Amino acid sequence: MTEHIAILVEHDGKKIKPATWELFAFTEHLAKLHPAAIHFIMIGEATRNLAQQLSTQTQCQVIAADIKGADTYHGQIYTDAFTRLLSRYPATYIVASHSTSGMDMIPALSIALNGTCITGVENTDKEDQTLYFTRAVSGGKILARLCAPLASASAPLCLTLSPGAFKPIAPDKNAAPDIIHTAVECRQTAMIYKERLASPSLGSNLTKAEVIVSGGRGIQEEENYALIEALADLFPRSAAGASRPICDYGWAEYSQQVGATGTIVSPKLYIACGISGATQHLEGIRDARFIVAINTDSNAPIMQIADVCIVEDLTEFIPLFMETFQKRKRPAD
Ligand SMILES: Cc1cc2nc3c(=O)[nH]c(=O)nc-3n(C[C@H](O)[C@H](O)[C@H](O)COP(=O)(O)OP(=O)(O)OC[C@H]3O[C@@H](n4cnc5c(N)ncnc54)[C@H](O)[C@@H]3O)c2cc1C
């Protein structure tokens, strides 16, 4: 019997989200290690067009169900609907994005389907006929390699894929669509969707900046965030950013948070001051062209991806750098 890998599709009712194409790239890699047919499972208010596009483009089967209100994520409805669909169309591996909805739904789904769950997967490899899945732990300081050798259609392995771990593949085949449209009766739910709130990164000036200087917990005190702003001010078209704890402390606005749950940035120059380089922060700067890290710890993860590593105390280095910069600045500048 053919085994299956199921991709849980993310879309907004009009377009397939890029995260789905990252899942496709990952599952193509997974299917080479564990031969299985890839199929997509999607729910939404009116899935017909998107299902057709997806199947034509990828040459894979799409199982789709129309459910009222399902263009907006709802934990109970989504978990219930996917559980019913996956019971009817079982898969050995069930893959969703490590997005807010994927993180919320996949653990519940794995319990409902009597499966196993690994979240935040960054890669997979095979050794001695066993598949291993790599994920970051301890805020990205350590990588864990986990295996679940007994995955099967009756006890699936449910995974969420870390954003950015795989380059998205959006194939452009022109295959005859292979779609199963099916109905799902979801249970009544006590949870009511009220409204969608604006992302904290809305209105952020980070996306336009060519140079971003960000401060992390290494700044130690709120007053030291002024050093980050002053360093940013040295550059034209610049902005000051921050890691999440700095925003949580209230030392910077959430619109300044860089990272997976903040703003994804792509400046020409990114200067990370006192930032360790947790995966969630690195996800936000993977498109930065040149990275400078100022950190007292030469083994901090950020040092592995930085183009220039400055192993110094930022409270000493930044003032000294600014002083030297001002001295060397020609009067005409
Ligand atoms: C679901 C989820 C989403 C998240 N989203 C984000 C996100 O979008 N963005 C984000 O940033 N984080 C995010 N996080 C948090 C993330 O996991 C890390 O906890 C956070 O990025 C760590 O921030 P940091 O690097 O400032 O602090 P730390 O990890 O504490 O690092 C501080 C660094 O400063 C260095 N340092 C200390 N003193 C000095 C000094 N005097 N001079 C120079 N260096 C010094 C230390 O060596 C250390 O490397 C998220 C976490 C979760 C669970």
Side-chain angles (χ1 to χ4, degrees):
M1 212 174 84
T2 314
E3 289 193 63
H4 286 96
I5 300 172
I7 297 177
L8 307 192
V9 178
E10 284 208 6
H11 65 89
D12 62 5
K14 295 185 194 85
K15 271 175 108 175
I16 303 291
K17 290 194 181 168
T20 302
W21 299 122
E22 293 185 13
L23 296 176
F24 188 60
F26 170 72
T27 51
E28 286 223 311
H29 174 60
L30 178 60
K32 283 186 193 131
L33 305 174
H34 184 122
I38 297 168
H39 65 214
F40 292 90
I41 305 199
M42 69 188 299
I43 59 173
E45 293 220 24
T47 54
R48 203 159 286 275
N49 289 345
L50 283 182
Q52 166 123 2
Q53 180 203 325
L54 199 53
S55 183
T56 309
Q57 251 183 286
T58 59
Q59 218 173 356
C60 294
Q61 186 174 65
V62 178
I63 296 150
D66 291 354
I67 299 168
K68 199 167 174 293
D71 275 351
T72 313
Y73 178 72
H74 184 298
Q76 286 181 340
I77 293 177
Y78 267 56
T79 308
D80 190 20
F82 278 124
T83 303
R84 288 166 195 264
L85 288 169
L86 284 155
S87 305
R88 258 184 260 163
Y89 304 95
T92 305
Y93 298 100
I94 298 163
V95 187
S97 174
H98 194 66
S99 57
T100 320
S101 52
M103 273 190 274
D104 185 48
M105 179 175 62
I106 279 284
L109 208 54
S110 75
I111 292 168
L113 295 167
N114 188 34
T116 318
C117 176
I118 304 178
T119 55
V121 169
E122 295 181 359
N123 205 356
T124 175
D125 65 293
K126 192 173 180 179
E127 198 180 300
D128 298 332
Q129 298 309 310
T130 303
L131 279 184
Y132 289 86
F133 297 88
T134 309
R135 75 187 296 270
V137 289
S138 300
K141 289 191 178 76
I142 304 167
L143 286 179
R145 202 162 156 255
L146 309 164
C147 71
L150 300 177
S152 69
S154 54
L157 178 56
C158 303
L159 307 165
T160 60
L161 181 71
S162 200
F166 274 72
K167 225 173 159 196
I169 299 178
D172 202 9
K173 296 188 176 142
N174 198 8
D178 177 3
I179 301 165
I180 299 174
H181 266 288
T182 181
V184 180
E185 280 299 319
C186 287
R187 253 180 285 136
Q188 286 292 320
T189 150
M191 203 162 86
I192 297 164
Y193 172 81
K194 282 282 202 192
E195 62 177 320
R196 179 183 289 243
L197 297 173
S199 152
S201 66
L202 211 72
S204 155
N205 58 353
L206 294 173
T207 46
K208 293 193 193 107
E210 291 184 2
V211 178
I212 296 174
V213 183
S214 284
R217 226 183 242 146
I219 67 171
Q220 294 162 41
E221 288 169 22
E222 183 171 8
E223 295 76 64
N224 287 336
Y225 192 71
L227 286 175
I228 305 300
E229 292 173 320
L231 185 56
D233 281 346
L234 292 185
F235 302 91
R237 289 177 290 283
S238 65
S243 67
R244 179 156 137 177
I246 299 308
C247 302
D248 290 341
Y249 297 155
W251 298 353
E253 300 292 326
Y254 277 109
S255 61
Q256 289 168 279
Q257 183 186 318
V258 172
T261 50
T263 303
I264 307 283
V265 297
S266 50
K268 289 183 181 163
L269 172 63
Y270 187 78
I271 307 179
C273 309
I275 291 177
S276 60
T279 29
Q280 296 90 356
H281 192 85
L282 298 188
E283 272 165 31
I285 59 169
R286 60 177 182 251
D287 291 332
R289 270 198 247 159
F290 198 87
I291 298 173
V292 175
I294 306 170
N295 200 306
T296 42
D297 178 5
S298 61
N299 292 317
I302 189 102
M303 297 309 213
Q304 285 165 26
I305 60 134
D307 298 284
V308 172
C309 305
I310 299 166
V311 184
E312 290 290 349
D313 183 329
L314 68 90
T315 58
E316 290 169 16
F317 180 82
I318 296 177
L320 198 61
F321 175 83
M322 288 180 41
E323 197 188 310
T324 313
F325 180 86
Q326 297 298 354
K327 271 193 213 152
R328 290 199 186 165
K329 215 169 135 193
R330 284 170 295 156
D333 286 348

